[in-house]
């Protein structure tokens, strides 16, 4: 194929000439380039078999003519006569596109301006350079060039900075794009956590550690604002004491639990103080305010980055919400071009086969199910009902178990002598018991879900989804229960009045925020350890078992599968913990960052060596969205407790940056009270209820506007689709009509469909009817065959434009449909200025016929 | 990069950068990969024309069921042989930065086995057979599958997919853009 676009250099392209060389060299293949520039942009979307058939011979002739012309040009070049200025227009094939070309050449490379082969694109570029050097609009050009340079630089930088790029590539070759999407997601979360960590470090930890005054000399902003009491703070702060033991075992234990010496580090809320850092460079630096605002900024930042990430993939898949094109998706998007491993390729073949065969079986099954007897249906629905009931029971049971365990552990720890009465290991176990329970449930319950879902007889895709949703519910539910338990402890009402610390039945937590932080700290540590354990303690031995042991049973066990959904949910869970915990333990993001970082290498290890690609073809596109939605849900759920803490809960009097405030948000009021009064008024207006209502109304109006716009677009899509089908039918009808007129049978067309490969419409300019007929005329003395075809074409040509719609026997009696068809015809008519056509001998055609021809063919 | 840096002049590199979806660094990387296919001949002439067998040594192409089509489509001579420019072209189309419509166009040509500018039932059968590899669908399944695909995509009921139809259906196939790429 592509013989008509063979490089002008022939078989052996010379080394690239520099820009300084004479332009004439470039002339010599200009018509080729011109063609391809045009063809690259006019991919024929509609085809006309008759014309194509005619073109067969015609194109071949045209090509030979062109090469003759090229030869002529070449000779001219040799003889030095080539400096004729009209060199561009002399090609009769391309002149109607010439103006178009000029404008296009000026445009930048981009979608839709892609020419198939590189050397042709170079020609295009050369042309552009020449135009630029002729210097019409230099200023804007330099600007544009600079901008382009900047963009390229940016691209290069991002390429350089893309971390783990080659690692991803390796994974892709091994496991396919599905698994890579997991790694990309993991990397994304790593960076998110890194940013969160840096924000926290920069605005909270470092200022406090570096600039805090030792000793309690308070510079309190906004005294006089209600909800501040420095007095209770002064009595309560000394009461908050942490027992630090120097015993090595206890040190490690404390490290894992976040108690003891860990509790006094910058990791936890209790470490920070409410003072304004007056030794800070620019005067006062209110730590409470910084703490609050940084937290808010982090939440906002997370939301925005998530929304951006989601929108990118969401936009691509928005139109794909109906499952109408699943077979095409499977076949045309089935092979992973990035695969480079023999073994993986075999597995991919197998999984594709399974997927396709399974889907087809499913389809038949579905047909069968439609005809299922009501008895069977009844049975199926009963089973489903019971299983769903069971799932809810399991979820509820798990929730209760967590609640009970947390409760029991709290009462166990309430005994002040528990450390001395029990062995250290027991204490450690008990302390970790809630986290252990949650982790264990997360490990076991999804397995049960995986088994029971098989009895429910769903479609394979829905099976994956429902199992995932149940798992997600489990994860979030267990966290919710944990939060509820903690909340119960924190909001216990029986409290002593001076320091607001629980008494009698209530736990006496001197610093409840740190307690909350410790809980999440433990969860993150444990979660991390479990992940390391699973990779090294389960996948690795399995790999060793499979490779080292020859017994049949070992072979049967085989490698573990890289379970993408489970892995993604794992990191979503870690992220949830990070969001929940960062307010109570500001350095938890650091922990999460490290965890993600190590996890990347661990998972790389397991993806490269220890696991097989997932058997179920993983829809990267769809599940990405699903996971992001899960992440979003998790995020909003995280916002609730954090927000509630900020607004509604009384902070501990004895610790933390908010110890002097009755609510955390009071520190904002305190800051505002220091502002000049006019600013206070403005802020007052903006935060008043009436303003918020107006804002809400405005927002809802905008939402309404966008939603109705999207609704209108959806309608438009449906309409365009119909039109597309309509035009297809038009084509069919017109074909039939041509066959009627020429006396051929419509069926015969299919067999003629195969044309010599060199004649791809995308290989040259789209064969428009006008040119073809032209060619037929120009070559009057061609074989009889072509003459006959020509005659046939003339018959069609003579059909007046206005007649066409009249004879359309539409099945659809709707008048508007016919109108669409009419406009479709007329729209295609492109007026051609025939005076501009350089006179090859026989082109004495009238415009009206041309128009008719266009109508008949160029649809 | 040292060695390969000197192979191309700065001008050539920026030309290539302009003409493909690659940065200079990526282009050099592509050249490296090209070089590893046949170090000797590329050493002698950086524009050496490598034959199909040599090109297929690229791991990604080696296991690709459509590898013969890919080499044909991207070879400017049409015979499956590739110069560095062709190779660069190919990698550029398969890169992350290439827009969907470019990818779609090439995919169409790759899947159009008999090069009649429509993807007919026969082409589809070939595509599916190559996809499933050793395990082949039986005739009944194959018929059913082809019918399903045509039902989804063939809007004008001519039992084959034109480019427009193919483009339309690919726009609805979210996996395509993810799978039709080769990472550098």
């Amino acid at each position: 194929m592509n013989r008509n676009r063979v490089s002008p250099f022939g078989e052996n392209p010379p080394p690239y000439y520099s820009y300084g060389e004479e332009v004439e060299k470039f002339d010599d293949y200009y018509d080729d380039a011109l063609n391809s520039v045009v063809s690259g942009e006019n991919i024929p979307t509609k085809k006309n078999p008759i014309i194509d058939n005619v073109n067969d011979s015609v194109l071949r002739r045209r090509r030979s003519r062109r090469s003759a012309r090229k030869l002529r040009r070449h000779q001219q070049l040799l003889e030095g006569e080539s400096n004729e200025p009209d060199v561009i227009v002399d090609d009769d094939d391309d002149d109607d596109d010439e103006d178009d070309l000029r404008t296009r050449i000026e445009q930048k490379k981009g979608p839709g301006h892609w020419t198939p082969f590189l050397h042709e694109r170079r020609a295009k570029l050369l042309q552009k350079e020449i135009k630029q050097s002729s210097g019409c609009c230099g200023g804007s050009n330099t600007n544009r060039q600079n901008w382009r340079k900047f963009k390229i630089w940016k691209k290069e930088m991002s390429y350089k900075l893309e971390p783990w790029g080659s690692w991803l590539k390796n994974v892709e070759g091994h496991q396919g794009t599905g698994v890579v999407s997991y790694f990309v997601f993991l990397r994304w979360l790593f960076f998110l956590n890194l940013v969160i960590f840096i924000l926290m470090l920069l605005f909270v930890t470092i200022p406090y550690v570096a600039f805090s005054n030792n000793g309690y000399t308070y510079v309190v902003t906004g005294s006089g604002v209600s909800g501040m009491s420095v007095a209770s703070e002064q009595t309560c702060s000394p009461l908050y004491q942490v027992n630090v033991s120097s015993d090595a075992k206890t040190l490690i234990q404390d490290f894992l639990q976040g108690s003891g010496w860990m509790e006094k580090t910058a990791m936890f809320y209790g470490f920070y103080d409410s003072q304004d850092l007056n030794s800070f460079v620019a005067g006062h630096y209110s730590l409470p305010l910084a703490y609050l605002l940084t937290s808010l900024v982090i939440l906002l930042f997370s939301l925005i980055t998530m929304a951006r990430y989601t929108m990118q993939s969401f936009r691509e898949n928005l139109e794909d919400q109906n499952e109408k094109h699943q077979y095409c998706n499977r076949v045309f998007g089935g092979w992973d071009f990035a695969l480079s491993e023999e073994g993986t390729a075999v597995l991919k073949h197998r999984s594709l086969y399974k997927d396709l065969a399974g889907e087809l079986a499913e389809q038949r099954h579905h047909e069968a199910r439609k005809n299922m007897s009501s008895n069977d249906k009844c049975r199926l629905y009963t089973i489903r009902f019971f299983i769903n009931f069971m799932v809810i029971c399991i979820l509820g049971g798990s929730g209760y178990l967590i609640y009970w365990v947390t409760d029991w552990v709290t009462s166990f720890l309430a005994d002040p002598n528990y450390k001395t009465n029990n062995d250290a290991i027991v204490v450690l176990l008990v302390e970790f018991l809630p986290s252990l329970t949650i982790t264990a449930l997360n490990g076991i319950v999804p397995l049960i879900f995986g088994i029971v879902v098989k009895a429910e007889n769903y479609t394979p895709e829905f099976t994956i989804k429902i199992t995932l949703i149940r798992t997600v519910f489990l994860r979030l539910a267990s966290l919710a229960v944990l939060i509820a338990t903690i909340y119960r402890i924190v909001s216990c009402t029986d409290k002593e009045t001076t320091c607001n610390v629980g008494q009698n039945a209530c736990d006496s937590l001197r610093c409840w925020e740190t307690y909350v932080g410790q809980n999440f700290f433990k969860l993150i540590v444990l979660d991390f350890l479990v992940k390391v354990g699973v990779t090294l303690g389960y996948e690795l031995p399995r790999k060793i078992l499979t490779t080292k042991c020859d017994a049949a049973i070992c072979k049967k066990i085989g490698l573990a599968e890289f379970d993408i959904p489970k892995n993604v949910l794992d990191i979503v869970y870690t992220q949830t913990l990070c969001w929940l915990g960062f307010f109570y333990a500001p350095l938890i993001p650091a922990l999460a960052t490290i965890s993600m970082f190590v996890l990347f290498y661990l998972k790389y290890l397991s993806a490269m060596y220890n696991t097989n690609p997932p058997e179920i073809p993983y829809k990267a596109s769809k599940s990405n969205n699903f996971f992001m939605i899960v992440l979003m849900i998790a995020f909003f759920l995280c916002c609730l407790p954090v927000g509630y803490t900020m607004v509604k809960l009384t902070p501990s009097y004895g610790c933390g940056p908010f110890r002097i405030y009755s609510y955390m948000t009071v520190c904002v009021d305190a800051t505002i009270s220091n502002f000049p009064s006019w600013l206070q008024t403005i802020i007052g207006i903006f935060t008043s209820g009436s303003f918020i209502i107006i804002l809400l109304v405005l927002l809802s109006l905008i939402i309404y506007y966008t939603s109705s716009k999207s609704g209108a677009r959806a309608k438009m899509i449906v309409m365009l689709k119909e039109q597309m089908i309509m035009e297809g039918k038009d084509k069919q009808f017109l074909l039939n009509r041509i066959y009627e007129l020429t006396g051929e049978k419509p069926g015969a067309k299919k067999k003629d469909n195969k044309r010599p490969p060199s004649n791809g419409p995308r290989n040259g300019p789209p064969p428009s009817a006008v040119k073809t007929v032209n060619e037929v005329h120009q070559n009057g003395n061609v074989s009889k065959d072509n003459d006959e075809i020509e005659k046939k074409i003339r018959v069609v040509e003579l059909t007046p434009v206005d007649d066409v719609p009249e004879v359309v026997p539409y099945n659809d009696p709707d008048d508007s449909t016919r109108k669409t068809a009419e406009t479709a015809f007329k729209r295609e008519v492109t007026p051609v200025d025939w005076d501009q056509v350089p006179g090859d001998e026989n082109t004495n055609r009238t415009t009206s016929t041309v128009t008719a021809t266009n109508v008949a063919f160029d649809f | 990069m040292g060695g390969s840096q000197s192979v191309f002049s700065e001008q050539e590199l920026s030309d290539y950068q302009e003409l493909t979806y690659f940065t200079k660094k990526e282009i050099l990387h592509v050249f490296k990969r090209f070089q590893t296919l046949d170090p000797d001949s590329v050493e002698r002439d950086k524009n050496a024309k490598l034959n199909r067998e040599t090109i297929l040594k690229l791991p990604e192409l080696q296991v690709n069921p459509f590898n013969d089509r890919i080499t044909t489509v991207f070879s400017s001579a049409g015979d499956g042989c590739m110069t560095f420019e062709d190779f660069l072209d190919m990698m550029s189309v398969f890169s992350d930065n290439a827009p969907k419509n470019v990818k779609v166009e090439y995919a169409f040509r790759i899947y159009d086995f008999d090069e009649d500018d429509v993807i007919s039932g026969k082409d589809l059968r070939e595509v599916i057979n190559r996809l499933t590899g050793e395990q082949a669908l039986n005739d009944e399944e194959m018929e059913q599958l082809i019918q399903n695909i045509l039902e989804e995509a063939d809007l004008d009921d001519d039992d084959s997919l034109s480019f427009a139809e193919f483009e339309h259906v690919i726009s609805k196939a979210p996996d395509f853009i993810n799978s039709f790429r080769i990472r550098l």
Side-chain angles (χ1 to χ4, degrees):
Chain A
M1 64 189 291
N2 308 331
R3 247 166 281 150
N4 58 338
R5 282 190 300 139
V6 168
S7 153
F9 301 117
E11 292 293 300
N12 300 308
Y16 312 124
Y17 46 84
S18 69
Y19 285 80
E21 279 182 51
E22 57 280 68
V23 184
E24 282 95 317
K25 259 193 182 174
F26 146 81
D27 276 347
D28 143 88
Y29 64 92
Y30 180 74
D31 50 353
D32 261 318
L34 200 63
N35 261 333
S36 51
V37 168
V38 173
S39 74
E41 294 163 3
N42 287 345
I43 300 150
T45 50
K46 285 149 193 142
K47 286 163 25 60
N48 188 324
I50 281 271
I51 287 303
D52 287 344
N53 285 340
V54 177
N55 267 353
D56 256 357
S57 45
V58 167
L59 261 183
R60 245 174 274 141
R61 264 179 285 126
R62 192 156 63 161
R63 249 195 317 281
S64 62
R65 244 166 21 82
R66 211 167 49 210
S67 48
R69 199 170 50 238
K70 209 149 79 182
L71 199 70
R72 204 167 61 229
R73 174 98 41 84
H74 210 77
Q75 282 163 350
Q76 282 172 350
L77 252 176
L78 290 174
E79 291 156 21
E81 298 170 18
S82 69
N83 36 1
E84 56 205 45
D86 60 340
V87 69
I88 291 167
V89 243
D90 110 339
D91 192 336
D92 62 341
D93 285 340
D94 305 305
D95 41 30
D96 30 334
D97 292 302
E98 189 226 332
D99 277 345
D100 220 356
L101 178 78
R102 283 227 165 118
T103 50
R104 281 177 199 174
I105 275 177
E106 280 172 9
Q107 285 169 15
K108 273 190 51 167
K109 172 183 82 182
H113 299 277
W114 185 259
T115 327
F117 289 110
L118 197 137
H119 57 82
E120 289 158 359
R121 291 198 300 279
R122 189 208 317 282
K124 200 164 131 188
L125 181 75
L126 261 179
Q127 175 69 7
K128 193 164 79 185
E129 299 272 333
I130 288 163
K131 265 197 101 86
Q132 275 174 8
S133 61
S134 68
C136 61
C137 28
S140 73
N141 267 346
T142 14
N143 268 344
R144 222 189 301 158
Q145 264 177 346
N146 284 344
W147 175 239
R148 203 171 58 213
K149 265 185 199 156
F150 173 71
K151 267 165 91 178
I152 288 168
W153 176 81
K154 223 172 71 182
K155 207 175 122 198
E156 258 178 29
M157 282 314 283
S158 71
Y159 175 78
K160 264 184 209 160
L161 293 176
E162 189 192 354
W164 296 310
S166 60
W167 295 67
L168 289 183
K169 148 100 187 114
N170 287 345
V171 171
E172 197 163 44
H174 249 272
Q175 301 257 0
T177 40
V179 175
V180 166
S181 74
Y182 162 79
F183 280 91
V184 171
F185 187 57
L186 180 58
R187 188 178 64 179
W188 182 78
L189 278 181
F190 166 76
F191 281 112
L192 179 70
N193 281 324
L194 193 67
V195 172
I196 295 178
F197 164 60
I198 289 172
L199 281 176
M200 238 6 186
L201 194 72
L202 226 56
F203 292 106
V204 176
T205 310
I206 289 181
Y208 180 68
V209 173
F211 300 106
S212 76
N213 309 324
N214 294 320
Y216 293 97
T217 49
Y218 278 96
V219 185
V220 175
T221 39
S223 45
V225 173
S226 65
M228 278 173 55
S229 96
V230 182
S232 65
E233 183 273 322
Q234 270 158 350
T235 33
C236 296
S237 290
L239 287 175
Y240 173 53
Q241 292 294 338
V242 182
N243 298 324
V244 183
S245 105
S246 53
D247 176 21
K249 205 166 73 182
T250 331
L251 281 180
I252 296 169
Q253 200 180 322
D254 283 342
F255 173 70
L256 291 177
Q257 294 175 6
S259 57
W261 64 273
M262 269 299 274
E263 197 171 332
K264 294 190 85 178
T265 60
M267 175 63 87
F268 292 106
Y269 172 91
F271 171 77
Y272 299 90
D273 210 336
S274 67
Q275 59 194 320
D276 283 12
L277 307 169
N278 49 8
S279 54
F280 203 70
V281 194
H284 294 321
Y285 185 85
S286 167
L287 192 72
L289 191 67
Y291 199 100
L292 196 73
L293 288 184
T294 312
S295 302
L296 287 176
V297 164
I298 284 172
L299 289 180
L300 203 67
F301 173 78
S302 305
L303 181 67
I304 290 170
T305 36
M306 251 190 311
R308 280 191 52 174
Y309 190 98
T310 321
M311 282 324 287
Q312 269 172 10
S313 57
F314 200 57
R315 216 175 287 142
E316 282 166 21
N317 300 322
L318 202 58
E319 51 198 44
D320 178 58
Q321 269 154 4
N322 49 357
E323 289 276 309
K324 272 183 185 158
H325 296 88
Q326 43 165 337
Y327 288 103
C328 286
N329 193 19
R330 279 188 168 87
V331 170
F332 295 127
W335 187 261
D336 211 331
F337 282 66
L339 288 185
S340 60
E341 289 289 311
E342 189 80 36
T344 319
V346 171
L347 284 173
K348 182 81 188 170
H349 279 305
R350 202 178 296 157
S351 96
L352 276 170
Y353 169 75
K354 268 190 192 161
D355 183 39
L356 286 171
E359 192 58 40
L360 291 169
E362 181 61 35
Q363 195 192 11
R364 280 194 293 255
H365 184 80
H366 195 72
E367 303 277 303
R369 204 184 298 164
K370 266 186 195 160
N371 312 322
M372 205 160 60
S373 71
S374 51
N375 232 353
D376 286 340
K377 258 186 199 166
C378 199
R379 211 168 52 111
L380 185 68
Y381 288 134
T382 322
I383 289 175
R384 282 188 187 173
F385 176 77
F386 272 112
I387 287 179
N388 274 312
F389 184 71
M390 198 175 103
V391 166
I392 292 172
C393 285
I394 291 175
L395 284 177
S398 319
Y400 184 74
L401 189 69
I402 298 164
Y403 176 78
W404 183 81
V405 166
T406 321
D407 207 38
W408 182 80
V409 169
T410 329
S411 61
F412 179 86
L413 299 182
D415 180 7
N417 300 322
Y418 76 95
K419 267 195 180 166
T420 45
N421 294 348
N422 294 288
D423 195 38
I425 295 292
V426 177
V427 172
L428 187 71
L429 269 181
V430 169
E431 294 236 341
F432 264 99
L433 205 55
S435 317
L436 269 175
T437 322
I438 290 175
T439 314
L441 282 175
N442 282 338
I444 297 163
V445 176
L447 292 180
I448 302 173
F449 287 162
I451 294 164
V452 295
V453 81
K454 281 180 189 150
E456 285 180 283
N457 210 357
Y458 290 123
T459 57
E461 213 166 305
F462 192 68
T463 306
I464 299 177
K465 265 193 191 152
I466 191 132
T467 322
L468 273 176
I469 288 173
R470 284 170 183 170
T471 318
V472 170
F473 265 114
L474 176 76
R475 297 240 153 163
L476 296 183
S478 49
L479 274 181
V481 171
L482 183 74
I483 292 169
T485 322
I486 294 172
Y487 175 72
R488 205 181 56 96
I489 295 165
V490 167
S491 65
C492 190
T493 44
D494 190 3
K495 284 179 175 166
E496 50 131 332
T497 41
T498 39
C499 285
N500 204 24
V501 173
Q503 58 184 8
N504 303 329
C506 291
D507 297 299
S508 58
L509 294 167
R510 288 255 163 227
C511 191
W512 63 266
E513 292 93 342
T514 298
Y515 171 74
V516 178
Q518 279 168 336
N519 268 298
F520 291 120
F521 177 83
K522 275 187 269 186
L523 270 178
I524 282 205
V525 169
L526 192 72
D527 181 62
F528 175 66
L529 291 179
V530 166
K531 275 175 195 153
V532 175
V534 166
T535 312
L536 298 180
Y538 169 68
E539 285 170 357
L540 193 63
R542 203 164 150 177
K543 157 89 175 173
I544 293 168
L545 204 67
T546 319
T547 45
K548 299 277 183 239
C549 145
D550 286 330
I553 186 143
C554 298
K555 292 283 166 231
K556 207 166 182 195
I557 292 172
L559 293 179
E561 228 178 66
F562 197 95
D563 188 352
I564 302 168
K566 189 188 162 297
N567 277 310
V568 172
L569 283 184
D570 273 345
I571 50 174
V572 168
Y573 177 70
T574 313
Q575 189 54 42
T576 314
L577 289 178
C578 172
W579 277 327
L580 274 175
F582 85 91
F583 188 75
Y584 311 100
L587 292 189
I588 269 190
L591 221 61
T593 312
I594 296 167
S595 164
M596 301 272 178
F597 185 78
V598 177
L599 202 65
F600 188 93
Y601 289 98
L602 273 177
K603 286 294 160 190
Y604 179 76
L605 194 75
S606 72
M608 289 300 285
Y609 305 107
N610 296 341
T611 53
N612 278 335
E615 193 134 292
I616 309 161
Y618 174 75
K619 300 257 159 39
S621 47
K622 280 227 175 90
S623 305
N624 259 350
N625 270 347
F626 181 72
F627 293 134
M628 266 333 256
I629 288 166
V630 171
L631 194 67
M632 284 261 202
I633 293 171
F635 173 76
F636 285 117
L637 290 183
C638 292
C639 282
L640 281 181
V642 175
Y644 190 79
T645 309
M646 287 176 186
V647 180
K648 281 284 168 202
L649 286 180
T650 313
S652 306
Y653 290 170
C655 69
F658 301 102
R659 60 182 92 179
I660 54 168
Y661 303 111
S662 54
Y663 295 110
M664 291 178 181
T665 40
V666 173
C667 74
V668 180
D669 300 341
T671 316
I672 289 173
S673 71
N674 276 4
F675 287 167
S677 60
W678 60 270
L679 200 59
Q680 281 186 44
T681 325
I682 291 175
I683 291 172
I685 290 169
F686 276 113
T687 47
S688 68
S690 48
F691 182 78
I692 302 281
I693 286 174
I694 292 168
L695 201 72
L696 275 179
V697 169
L698 237 142
L699 281 178
S700 5
L701 274 178
I702 292 171
I703 289 174
Y704 177 74
Y705 169 72
T706 16
S707 80
S708 47
K709 211 161 107 180
S710 84
R713 291 213 172 126
K715 264 185 202 156
M716 190 71 182
I717 288 171
V718 173
M719 256 178 59
L720 285 173
K721 214 183 215 165
E722 272 168 14
Q723 196 178 334
M724 200 162 155
I725 294 168
M726 272 294 305
E727 287 191 10
K729 285 195 176 141
D730 291 345
K731 185 176 107 179
Q732 292 254 299
F733 162 72
L734 284 163
L735 277 181
N736 286 340
R737 196 163 154 69
I738 289 167
Y739 292 129
E740 242 169 66
L741 287 165
T742 55
E744 273 178 48
K745 278 179 192 164
K749 158 225 157 193
K750 282 271 147 54
K751 278 160 201 154
D752 296 341
N753 214 5
K754 196 168 171 175
R755 281 168 287 110
S758 56
N759 184 21
R762 282 173 310 291
N763 296 348
S768 87
V770 183
K771 287 175 194 167
T772 315
V773 176
N774 243 341
E775 300 279 353
V776 174
H777 276 261
Q778 286 156 11
N779 300 275
N781 52 347
V782 288
S783 70
K784 215 183 159 200
D785 239 23
N786 284 325
D787 276 345
E788 258 174 38
I789 296 167
E790 191 188 336
K791 266 183 212 155
K792 286 172 193 168
I793 290 171
R794 283 187 180 191
V795 175
V796 183
E797 276 166 23
L798 293 177
T799 319
V801 188
D802 294 337
D803 277 2
V804 177
E806 293 304 316
V807 289
V808 177
Y810 280 103
N811 299 335
D812 186 359
D814 188 0
D815 201 45
S816 68
T817 327
R818 212 190 65 189
K819 281 229 174 79
T820 323
E822 278 176 45
T823 36
F825 289 141
K826 284 185 180 153
R827 204 189 48 229
E828 294 294 332
V829 178
T830 32
V832 178
D833 191 358
W834 283 94
D835 296 338
Q836 294 286 310
V837 178
D840 256 1
E841 304 81 49
N842 299 318
T843 35
N844 309 321
R845 308 184 51 77
T846 63
T847 317
S848 66
T849 1
V850 171
T851 318
T853 325
N854 249 345
V855 170
F857 288 110
D858 206 4
F859 48 81
Chain B
M1 291 288 143
S4 49
Q5 189 95 52
S6 53
V7 176
F8 300 104
S9 68
E10 191 60 27
Q11 184 62 59
E12 276 173 344
L13 275 180
S14 49
D15 279 3
Y16 281 143
Q17 182 167 280
E18 186 81 359
L19 295 167
T20 61
Y21 296 104
F22 283 135
T23 63
K24 285 176 188 167
K25 199 156 182 184
E26 286 169 311
I27 288 162
L28 290 175
H29 196 83
V30 171
F31 183 72
K32 250 187 173 175
R33 293 203 77 179
F34 186 68
Q35 207 168 18
T36 50
L37 295 176
D38 187 356
D40 294 339
S41 18
V42 179
E43 193 72 35
R44 257 179 277 128
D45 173 14
K46 69 178 181 201
N47 292 313
K49 204 165 180 181
L50 304 186
N51 60 19
R52 192 192 296 258
E53 285 68 38
T54 323
I55 295 291
L56 290 187
K57 277 200 276 182
L58 190 79
E60 278 89 351
L61 289 184
Q62 208 163 24
V63 299
N64 195 307
F66 306 106
N67 51 17
D68 58 324
R69 290 294 307 149
I70 296 175
T71 44
T72 312
V73 165
F74 283 98
S75 148
S76 54
D79 54 1
C81 300
M82 280 186 164
T83 60
F84 171 63
E85 290 196 358
D86 295 339
F87 187 77
L88 183 65
D89 232 4
M90 178 179 83
M91 295 310 271
S92 161
V93 167
F94 280 118
S95 74
D96 276 341
N97 294 326
K100 199 169 183 172
N101 56 351
V102 170
K103 285 176 185 265
V104 170
E105 195 190 331
Y106 282 95
F108 183 79
R109 290 163 69 179
I110 288 169
Y111 293 142
D112 179 16
F113 286 89
D114 48 13
E115 299 184 346
D116 60 354
D117 299 311
V118 287
I119 295 183
S120 57
K122 235 170 82 193
D123 292 324
L124 283 176
R125 187 179 295 267
E126 185 69 30
V127 171
I128 295 162
N129 270 333
R130 287 182 183 216
L131 278 180
T132 54
E134 287 165 20
Q135 318 81 343
L137 296 172
N138 63 35
D139 282 349
E140 193 194 333
E141 287 173 323
M142 183 66 87
E143 269 318 304
Q144 193 189 350
L145 183 54
I146 291 175
Q147 273 317 308
N148 284 338
I149 291 171
L150 288 177
E151 228 165 76
E152 283 171 3
D154 183 22
L155 297 175
D156 59 2
D157 294 327
D158 61 353
D159 287 335
S160 50
L161 307 185
S162 66
F163 180 71
E165 286 162 347
F166 183 74
E167 199 178 22
H168 176 246
V169 81
I170 284 294
S171 73
K172 305 278 177 174
D175 287 342
F176 171 77
I177 194 86
N178 286 322
S179 61
F180 199 75
R181 70 199 163 109
I182 294 177
R183 228 175 251 267
L184 255 191

